[in-house]
Amino acid sequence: MRYDLPQALMLKAPQRKHISIQRHLADLEKLADLKEGELTMAVSQNTDLHKPCPLCPEEKYKACYSHKLHRHLQNLHWKVSVEFEGYRMCICHLPCRPVKPNFIGDQTFSKMGAHYHCIVCSATITRRTDMISHINRHVNKGETESRFIIVLKESATEVRVLPNYSTPQKTDSYFNPKMKLNRQLIFCALAVLAEERKPIECLDAFGATGIMGLQWAKHLRSSVKVTINDCNENSVTMIQENCHLNKMKVKLNAKEEDNDEAMGDGEENTDTIEVTKMDANVIMHLRSFDFIHLDPFGTSVNYLDSAFCNVRNFGIVSLTSTDISSLYAKAQHVALRHYGCNIVRTEYYKELAARIVIAAVTRAAARCNKGIDVLLSVALEHFVLVVVRVLRGPSPADDSAKKIRYLIHCQWCEERIFQKEGNMVEENPYQQLPCDCHGSMPGKTAVVLGPLWSGALFNTGFLRRMFFEAAHYGLDEAQSLLKTLVCEAECTTLKPYSIYSSYDENKQEECGVYIKTPNTSAESLLIHGKRKSEEVVQNAGKRQKSENSAEHPAFYYNIHRHSIKGMNMPKLNKFLSYLCEAGYRVSRTHFDPMGVRTNAPLAQFKTILMKYSAPTYTGGQVEGPVHLAEGVQAGEQVEAAADSKAEDDAEFVEYDKSEVAAATLTKDYPTYCAAD
């Protein structure tokens, strides 16, 4: 495709059709004549020329005379074709569609897969009935050949996609509009890293349409050197077209391709994007990067070793896992195969999924003598996003590996606790659980899950800087989620007023390391192409945590899951205040809109919930404690309130009813607690 065409002409230029799509049978015979000229010299010198079939490989149908070829094309290709707007989509036997070989003994038998090529979206369909249904769906959506290319816009970035862009199995230009929030969070993380050191080399290992790398280069400009990679040739072509559509230069094979005519007159273009076509593991082994993003179709565990092999010190690796069926415990055998974890469906399954991914990341980093600091963990309806900072050295690797533990989960009351450190076998592991279900219930009541990441899921300082970048670039969806994440990281119900207040931006602490941030100039970070050793201002407390920033409690409880039958539970914000008055740390969580993250044991959680619940027949809720009927035990007494209370009433974070919270809605589960 030529790139010197005007932009309006480029959008209307149809893509070249497959050779199996023709108007007349004679056109197929002409293709046989063209293919005949490509034969070897020995065959071309023969007086009686044998013509091969243009739609069949040589091992399936050998070259024959013209009258036999005509009969073959008419009976085996033309009669079973699918017609659309004057064109015939004939059946194709060429190796366009990959088919898995069959291994029988020591021999390999590869069956050629017959298929059709769609004239609208270039998808390959095996059955004729499925092809007819596929074409009818295009017609119902109004997708004809005149609308062969669709232009989508997101965050001031335009990309060209095919009509079936939302089906990754049938298109080379996969684009998911539901992942917009994911792209915004990754952009904010990259923007924070770009403020620490400039310029940085970043890699989008699975480009598809190139939308993510284009947003990086368009907004961050000279702060980043963007490389977009994809192993599919059609996707690489689409990425190049999208680069020119956004008026950016393309660098291919260390050669810079100029496109002045497509940019327009009087415009300067200093943005250059490098587009590569190779396997993601290969490019990450060959080159070093400061920022790597992995977003394959499915699990990303196959690329973790390559990602941590050459990533630079204090660099960032972000990965998006879309294999939610295995991570959310719907396909537990797949989770065991991919991540080596034993899991069951729990009320906190989304946080469990995030800890599974982080455990896999930690093991991959430790194999490369690197440790990690978890900056961000998000688990929503369609994906699990994990962002980690890389710390080189065997000591950080050992510290990170020690945080991978097993989890003891009670299947009756859903109480959970991480196993204690150490290799000694305990006589009764049920004693570690705070509940007494094992003594009151018959049989085995608990299950061991994991191994899982037992450390923190968020870094408060990094989240605050991400929020500043989201506000700077006007990313509204990311701002609302980052507010919730900051409160969750600090485990507080107060609104994060400190987000808007001034704080020391030059001295941000992460994992005990003080890192220079926004006010540092680019010139002070670079000396003859090398970064200053003063980038890390204070590295003495690398393995020590800050005393005033305690880790947030692990896991959360769903208030509906532990509600009392026949009682109206209090409003969620009021219930959070009751827990605070009892002296516990408490916050809401993005994993579950009705979840409560707290360090209170489950018994105290249920006791406070029962105390402030009202009977259903009263017709309304009461704010004070409820006098329970005789025979109903309230459990242990609630601990005394904290001595020092704030003068004003605590303001609570408003419940986000946007698509972020809607995506995290959970299903009701059967109640197993004997007390209920």
Side-chain angles (χ1 to χ4, degrees):
M1 170 126 3
R2 293 172 55 92
Y3 297 105
D4 54 352
L5 296 174
Q7 181 176 349
L9 191 59
M10 287 176 59
L11 297 178
K12 295 182 180 180
Q15 187 169 330
R16 187 177 179 181
K17 301 180 181 63
H18 193 261
I19 60 174
S20 62
I21 304 174
Q22 301 294 335
R23 286 185 177 272
H24 307 285
L25 178 60
D27 297 334
L28 283 177
E29 297 179 357
K30 292 179 181 179
L31 290 176
D33 296 335
L34 293 176
K35 194 172 182 179
E36 174 191 353
E38 300 174 359
L39 297 176
T40 58
M41 204 62 177
V43 177
S44 63
Q45 291 176 354
N46 194 355
T47 55
D48 258 342
L49 291 175
H50 289 67
K51 296 183 179 181
C53 176
L55 300 180
C56 294
E58 187 177 356
E59 57 268 18
K60 180 176 179 62
Y61 187 82
K62 295 183 179 180
C64 61
Y65 292 105
S66 300
H67 65 281
K68 291 186 178 181
L69 178 62
H70 176 79
R71 196 180 333 154
H72 168 78
L73 292 174
Q74 185 176 11
N75 295 334
L76 297 181
H77 294 282
W78 192 258
K79 284 187 177 180
V80 293
S81 61
V82 178
E83 186 176 1
F84 177 73
E85 293 187 355
Y87 285 93
R88 290 289 191 97
M89 291 169 280
C90 302
I91 192 167
C92 175
H93 292 273
L94 297 175
C96 310
R97 185 183 180 90
V99 179
K100 293 182 180 180
N102 298 325
F103 297 94
I104 302 178
D106 297 334
Q107 298 180 355
T108 303
F109 298 93
S110 59
K111 182 180 178 181
M112 292 297 174
H115 55 275
Y116 295 88
H117 290 267
C118 179
I119 190 176
V120 179
C121 62
S122 70
T124 55
I125 311 295
T126 53
R127 297 183 179 180
R128 187 173 184 272
T129 54
D130 295 342
M131 187 68 205
I132 295 174
S133 302
H134 180 80
I135 289 295
N136 290 334
R137 284 194 294 269
H138 281 307
V139 173
N140 295 335
K141 294 180 181 180
E143 297 170 351
T144 59
E145 190 178 2
S146 59
R147 291 185 57 201
F148 192 75
I149 297 295
I150 300 176
V151 178
L152 301 177
K153 188 174 183 180
E154 180 183 297
S155 300
T157 305
E158 295 181 349
V159 290
R160 300 174 61 187
V161 296
L162 299 177
N164 59 345
Y165 59 87
S166 60
T167 309
Q169 297 90 343
K170 298 182 179 180
T171 182
D172 297 326
S173 62
Y174 179 59
F175 178 82
N176 190 359
K178 296 180 181 179
M179 301 291 283
K180 179 181 179 181
L181 177 61
N182 176 272
R183 288 186 284 268
Q184 290 184 357
L185 292 174
I186 296 169
F187 174 81
C188 294
L190 179 60
V192 171
L193 183 63
E195 292 294 336
E196 296 177 6
R197 47 188 178 183
K198 300 178 183 179
I200 58 175
E201 298 183 21
C202 50
L203 170 67
D204 183 9
F206 301 89
T209 59
I211 177 66
M212 191 174 297
L214 288 170
Q215 291 176 354
W216 298 349
K218 197 162 189 176
H219 295 287
L220 300 178
R221 295 190 175 276
S222 60
S223 301
V224 294
K225 296 180 181 179
V226 181
T227 301
I228 305 178
N229 176 73
D230 203 289
C231 61
N232 189 285
E233 185 176 357
N234 296 331
S235 297
V236 172
T237 304
M238 185 71 70
I239 293 171
Q240 297 174 23
E241 296 175 3
N242 291 331
C243 289
H244 293 293
L245 183 62
N246 290 273
K247 303 177 182 179
M248 293 187 180
K249 293 182 180 180
V250 178
K251 185 178 180 182
L252 293 171
N253 298 326
K255 294 181 181 179
E256 197 170 307
E257 179 185 334
D258 295 331
N259 189 19
D260 298 333
E261 296 182 8
M263 288 187 297
D265 299 334
E267 293 186 7
E268 284 188 355
N269 186 6
T270 58
D271 303 326
T272 302
I273 295 180
E274 183 177 357
V275 181
T276 59
K277 177 185 174 297
M278 61 181 69
D279 187 82
N281 286 320
V282 174
I283 189 173
M284 288 187 292
H285 271 293
L286 293 177
R287 296 174 53 184
S288 299
F289 295 95
D290 300 284
F291 185 91
I292 297 176
H293 175 62
L294 302 175
D295 188 8
F297 179 69
T299 181
S300 56
V301 294
N302 300 326
Y303 307 95
L304 293 179
D305 290 333
S306 303
F308 286 98
C309 180
N310 281 334
V311 64
R312 295 191 175 100
N313 195 21
F314 295 103
I316 290 179
V317 175
S318 66
L319 59 146
T320 302
S321 299
T322 55
D323 54 334
I324 56 175
S325 60
S326 59
L327 290 175
Y328 289 173
K330 294 180 181 178
Q332 301 174 10
H333 61 286
V334 181
L336 181 63
R337 184 169 67 246
H338 288 170
Y339 299 95
C341 287
N342 176 38
I343 57 174
V344 295
R345 185 79 170 189
T346 62
E347 64 171 333
Y348 51 92
Y349 66 95
K350 288 190 176 180
E351 182 171 345
L352 203 65
R355 293 185 180 275
I356 290 172
V357 176
I358 298 175
V361 171
T362 305
R363 290 192 292 267
R367 286 191 290 268
C368 300
N369 284 337
K370 294 181 177 71
I372 65 167
D373 175 32
V374 181
L375 304 178
L376 171 67
S377 302
V378 175
L380 298 181
E381 182 182 4
H382 303 286
F383 64 91
V384 176
L385 172 64
V386 172
V387 181
V388 299
R389 188 185 291 275
V390 180
L391 306 174
R392 282 192 173 184
S395 296
D398 294 339
D399 295 339
S400 300
K402 290 178 182 177
K403 295 182 180 180
I404 299 179
R405 300 190 208 170
Y406 285 92
L407 181 74
I408 303 177
H409 170 81
C410 179
Q411 298 189 88
W412 286 95
C413 65
E414 299 238 9
E415 182 65 284
R416 77 289 302 210
I417 190 171
F418 282 105
Q419 281 189 353
K420 298 179 181 178
E421 294 184 7
N423 300 325
M424 303 302 296
V425 179
E426 291 193 6
E427 183 178 355
N428 186 9
Y430 289 99
Q431 294 179 354
Q432 299 185 27
L433 283 170
C435 64
D436 58 347
C437 296
H438 178 64
S440 58
M441 299 296 170
K444 299 178 180 179
T445 59
V447 62
V448 177
L449 307 181
L452 307 171
W453 172 259
S454 62
L457 298 178
F458 315 100
N459 187 293
T460 308
F462 193 84
L463 289 176
R464 291 180 183 276
R465 288 188 284 160
M466 284 182 63
F467 180 83
F468 275 104
E469 299 297 336
H472 176 70
Y473 291 100
L475 306 178
D476 298 332
E477 297 181 9
Q479 288 185 54
S480 59
L481 178 59
L482 288 171
K483 287 181 183 178
T484 306
L485 292 177
V486 170
C487 290
E488 186 175 0
E490 297 178 346
C491 197
T492 177
T493 57
L494 297 177
K495 286 186 177 180
Y497 292 109
S498 55
I499 286 181
Y500 305 97
S501 61
S502 60
Y503 63 96
D504 191 3
E505 293 182 344
N506 289 326
K507 197 175 182 182
Q508 285 294 312
E509 183 182 1
E510 294 178 9
C511 64
V513 180
Y514 293 96
I515 301 175
K516 287 185 177 180
T517 53
N519 291 340
T520 307
S521 59
E523 291 79 4
S524 62
L525 294 179
L526 295 176
I527 295 183
H528 302 293
K530 295 184 179 180
R531 296 184 179 88
K532 272 189 176 183
S533 59
E534 287 81 11
E535 177 189 353
V536 179
V537 180
Q538 184 177 352
N539 201 14
K542 180 178 288 187
R543 293 176 299 275
Q544 297 178 358
K545 299 175 185 176
S546 178
E547 296 179 358
N548 55 0
S549 60
E551 278 190 8
H552 57 81
F555 301 110
Y556 55 90
Y557 302 106
N558 185 285
I559 188 172
H560 284 296
R561 174 71 179 79
H562 301 284
S563 61
I564 290 79
K565 187 176 181 181
M567 306 283 285
N568 285 336
M569 61 182 182
K571 295 293 184 181
L572 183 57
N573 286 342
K574 290 185 178 180
F575 179 68
L576 296 180
S577 66
Y578 298 148
L579 285 173
C580 288
E581 292 173 0
Y584 296 109
R585 299 176 62 197
V586 63
S587 71
R588 301 185 67 168
T589 175
H590 81 281
F591 293 111
D592 188 351
M594 300 304 295
V596 178
R597 184 180 296 277
T598 178
N599 60 346
L602 182 59
Q604 294 291 336
F605 184 90
K606 288 184 177 181
T607 301
I608 298 175
L609 183 61
M610 183 182 295
K611 179 180 179 180
Y612 292 98
S613 297
T616 306
Y617 59 83
T618 57
Q621 293 186 358
V622 293
E623 297 184 2
V626 173
H627 300 283
L628 299 177
E630 191 174 334
V632 179
Q633 299 297 331
E636 299 178 5
Q637 295 296 329
V638 183
E639 294 183 5
D643 296 337
S644 59
K645 292 181 59 180
E647 297 180 358
D648 300 333
D649 293 339
E651 295 186 57
F652 304 99
V653 180
E654 297 178 357
Y655 173 46
D656 185 8
K657 294 185 179 180
S658 60
E659 74 173 27
V660 179
T664 57
L665 289 178
T666 56
K667 298 181 179 179
D668 294 330
Y669 302 99
T671 304
Y672 298 103
C673 184
D676 297 346

